[in-house]
Amino acid sequence: MKAAFVQNVGQPLKVETTPDPRPAADQVILKVARAGICGSDLHVTEHGFVPPGTILGHEFSGTVLEIGDDVRGEWKIGDMVTALPLLPCSNCEYCDEGLHALCETNRFLGIAEVPGAYAEYVAVRGGMLQKLPTGVGFDLGAMVEPLAVSYHAVERGELKRDNNVLVIGAGPIGLAVTLFARLKGLKTLVVSETSPERRKRSLEMGATHVIDPKAENLAERFAQIAGGSPDVVFECVGVPGLLQQAMDMVRKRGRVVVAGVCFEPDTVSLVPGLMKEIDIGFSMCYTPPDFEAVID
């Protein structure tokens, strides 16, 4: 098959021929139809976090081509699917709780030695398959994974209908957080974003208000809109300083959910968190029910 391989830092991917994958007993081979380019794919190549020879790609859709002997479920050749890009042990306390991404031995497709979906075919764990129903085609199917990241983050926020919520950042993850947060029935959902185009998209995704933090004082403007501090803040950018800003802004006994991946060291004063008894939750990934909810 043909696949796109990582070269050295700063160099483009290189398409080469490599042997077709063969399914282990618990795996399924998919013929890749779509593979998304994730922001983290860009980051890991820019910072040299993956070695040369890596096949990236962890958000994808395709059709079932081969099925391993031990794969359970009513799968058949030609089924349209996506899959959680995880290879958990399926036999630890985290797997038992459905938290496969937190499994100590889990490996992610598209990282280091596990080939991803920037290829004609990809091997996935049979237990991670998710069927795409009628009306969810390959384009949407490849979007399930990044949307599930945001859905999981919103679930980590434990939102209530009367909460005043702030989303910092309106990239793909922030926009989807806005979408799923609004579906919780929130009356006040504010997005902070410097890009005019992304502020416009935030309103389309369900934000009740948008703020340009370069043009206005974010805390003061939010208070004008909501009548007080945010109950929950979602940090969806991942640059130094924004976690501190979220902690400074959130109300006493409020919650901060960190969904942005900061690849640089960040210095944070813990005093606001202590004085206000803030809950800070990090949200990295997803569960099979998150995928199911997004597909639904």
Side-chain angles (χ1 to χ4, degrees), residues 145-160:
E145 193 272 352
L147 290 173
V149 170
S150 298
Y151 183 91
H152 188 76
V154 170
E155 292 300 292
R156 293 278 287 148
E158 300 179 4
L159 300 180
K160 299 180 176 64

Side-chain angles (χ1 to χ4, degrees), residues 134-235:
T134 302
V136 181
F138 290 131
D139 287 349
L140 292 176
M143 288 294 295
V144 171
E145 193 272 352
L147 290 173
V149 170
S150 298
Y151 183 91
H152 188 76
V154 170
E155 292 300 292
R156 293 278 287 148
E158 300 179 4
L159 300 180
K160 299 180 176 64
R161 290 176 65 89
D162 61 350
N163 283 161
N164 294 319
V165 174
L166 172 66
V167 178
I168 299 177
I173 299 302
L175 287 171
V177 164
T178 300
L179 170 66
F180 292 123
R182 189 58 189 277
L183 290 177
K184 296 290 187 180
L186 302 176
K187 292 183 179 179
T188 305
L189 176 57
V190 181
V191 174
S192 170
E193 171 58 53
T194 59
S195 163
E197 176 62 25
R198 288 183 171 184
R199 289 199 299 273
K200 176 176 178 292
R201 289 184 181 274
S202 297
L203 294 170
E204 295 170 353
M205 291 296 103
T208 59
H209 302 79
V210 292
I211 299 173
D212 180 355
K214 287 188 174 181
E216 301 180 273
N217 181 287
L218 181 57
E220 292 178 0
R221 180 63 182 132
F222 187 96
Q224 291 173 359
I225 293 169
S229 300
D231 299 291
V232 182
V233 178
F234 292 93
E235 196 286 280

Side-chain angles (χ1 to χ4, degrees), residues 10 27 29 76 96 107 127 138 170 228 261 275:
Q27 289 184 328
I29 303 300
K76 55 186 184 298
D96 289 345
R107 295 176 297 161
F138 290 131
V261 181
M275 299 301 292

Side-chain angles (χ1 to χ4, degrees), residues 238-286:
V239 299
L242 289 187
L243 175 56
Q244 186 70 63
Q245 182 182 49
M247 293 172 62
D248 291 341
M249 284 194 61
V250 75
R251 71 166 178 85
K252 294 178 181 179
R253 289 212 159 194
R255 178 179 293 269
V256 174
V257 178
V258 182
V261 181
C262 187
F263 285 94
E264 304 171 57
D266 194 5
T267 300
V268 178
S269 171
L270 300 180
V271 174
L274 178 68
M275 299 301 292
K276 295 194 290 184
E277 292 194 343
I278 295 169
D279 289 332
I280 301 177
F282 290 82
S283 182
M284 179 191 69
C285 229
Y286 28 64

